[in-house]
Amino acid sequence: MGDALLLEFSDLLRRHARSDLSTPLEGVTICKMDDTDVLSASMSGTVFAAMAEGCKRLAVADRVYEYRAGQHLVAPIDLPVTGQAIGATPSSPTLGFGMALEPAAIAEVLLAAGPGDLPRTSGRARLGMVVGETSHELLDAIVRLLRLLDRPQDRRVLAPVYKREILWRLMTGDQGDVVRQLGLADSGLSSVAHAAQWIRENYHQSFKVQDLARMANTSVSAFHRNFQAVTSMSPIQFQKHVRLQAARLMLLNEPNDVTGVAHRVGYGSSTQFSREYRRQFGTSPSADVARFHQAGSRPPQSALP
């Protein structure tokens, strides 16, 4: 990877970073973190994240992932994660790039590829996140996409072209199997992703694993094994994480209604809710919300990129 390209990558991220991570490029985010003590608990999104400076550590259940400058991470399924910048300071922040991975866009690239252009996809469900080295070709495509932040007149025409190239570089790289599976409706990863999406959209409802397995068109044992392999959690544990994160956001607007929020996200007992909330976020619901109101801030919006 050329030093000049990496320096330009860092410069673009530093100049265009916003507190809400957003950019004028649809599906593209920029993260700038200068405080190692801040822990960000959020859903990961289905995303490709590349690091320009510093190091990021992510925890998903009992798995820990680290990626640093010159590396990238692929999260092919939306998972509850906790993220932390390692060794970040105001003068030397952690800088990262993120791009949403859309299954339809990946499927389109798969269809455009000729016979033999891509390695064969296994179809087996794999780990929910993978880390790899960022090649010169991949970084070059990322930088060309980010240059459009300074060239608004070119965005409409060129942004889709550069995003498509980034997908191609990912799909033909060492972690390509994970990315390609996102574009295949019948892959093991896609089946888990569809079930996880149903849980996220219906987190307040109780469910039976048998119903999710039927939705994924597989046996209960195979579904449970694939879901655990991809997410590092059982479906019930996954639902609990989603419920608690939804409750945290609700409590920012309704800080005096812990019991009501607990019921709305699906808990029958406010005591159980408070106990699990403390285990997840390190403090009680009331103390957690009071801390953010006193600081005049909100919980960090995303652990990625």
Side-chain angles (χ1 to χ4, degrees), residues 11-123:
D11 176 66
L12 285 162
L13 296 183
R14 193 184 297 269
R15 287 194 292 109
H16 291 284
R18 299 174 176 174
S19 59
D20 64 356
L21 312 185
S22 69
T23 74
L25 297 169
E26 184 178 357
V28 173
T29 54
I30 294 174
C31 175
K32 178 182 178 183
M33 297 182 69
D34 57 14
D35 188 348
T36 297
D37 295 330
V38 174
L39 290 173
S40 306
S42 69
M43 300 301 293
S44 67
T46 303
V47 67
F48 157 63
M51 193 65 65
E53 291 186 22
C55 177
K56 197 74 169 285
R57 181 178 295 150
L58 301 175
V60 181
D62 59 351
R63 290 182 188 149
V64 177
Y65 302 85
E66 260 190 26
Y67 64 115
R68 59 188 66 248
Q71 294 183 314
H72 63 265
L73 177 140
V74 175
I77 187 169
D78 195 8
L79 296 172
V81 298
T82 300
Q84 182 182 29
I86 305 300
T89 65
S91 61
S92 182
T94 292
L95 294 170
F97 160 90
M99 188 181 89
L101 296 176
E102 302 291 345
I106 294 169
E108 185 180 328
V109 176
L110 284 173
L111 290 172
D117 288 345
L118 287 166
R120 187 172 180 177
T121 298
S122 70

Side-chain angles (χ1 to χ4, degrees), residues 138-157:
L138 177 55
L139 180 60
D140 185 51
I142 295 170
V143 168
R144 279 183 278 121
L145 176 62
L146 288 172
R147 285 174 186 158
L148 297 180
L149 294 171
D150 294 324
R151 302 170 187 171
Q153 71 277 9
D154 295 337
R155 290 174 195 160
R156 186 183 299 275
V157 172

